[in-house]
Amino acid sequence: QVQLVESGGGLVQTGGSLRLSCAHSGRTFNTYTMAWFRQAPGKEREFVAAITWIGGNVEYADSVKGRFKISRDTTKNTHDLQMSSLEPDDTAVYYCAACPIASTANCWHPNHPTAWGQGTQVTISS
């Protein structure tokens, strides 16, 4: 059974940076795509970024392109989200997720992941 555990959330000022990390266990991930989603109060969960475990192909939501960077470490079984130039609209609970397919084209909708982390709060103050 896949288990995902996030770390690294917190409170930063506008323009600041944060790094989120997701540790995974329970299986090998060669055929998976790993992702980050977020959910702000009163809004639906939305896609942020995804990366294929093999090959490292990436995809980003338009709202975070050029500011966020997703990466993975296949030796540590982790994937990270480096967030820069943070804005108040980035405030949300961030979830790491795993999609059982090696394609970012099939890991962008909240229905695509089959495993989720517990979520970590990211708050950007203005």
Side-chain angles (χ1 to χ4, degrees), residues 21-36:
S21 186
C22 181
H24 4 107
S25 61
R27 60 159 294 138
T28 58
F29 294 91
N30 291 346
T31 59
Y32 272 64
T33 296
M34 313 306 290
W36 289 94

Side-chain angles (χ1 to χ4, degrees), residues 14-51:
T14 297
S17 299
L18 273 177
R19 188 177 185 91
L20 306 181
S21 186
C22 181
H24 4 107
S25 61
R27 60 159 294 138
T28 58
F29 294 91
N30 291 346
T31 59
Y32 272 64
T33 296
M34 313 306 290
W36 289 94
F37 288 74
R38 66 186 182 185
Q39 189 165 17
K43 295 187 177 181
E44 295 185 351
R45 191 168 298 189
E46 65 176 7
F47 170 76
V48 175
I51 185 167

Side-chain angles (χ1 to χ4, degrees), residues 25 59 67 80:
S25 61
E59 188 66 49
R67 300 188 300 122
D80 293 356

Side-chain angles (χ1 to χ4, degrees), residues 66-85:
R67 300 188 300 122
F68 291 12
K69 182 178 181 181
I70 189 171
S71 61
R72 90 276 191 236
D73 188 326
T74 58
T75 63
K76 296 181 179 179
N77 261 3
T78 61
H79 73 282
D80 293 356
L81 186 68
Q82 178 66 47
M83 305 184 292
S84 303
S85 302

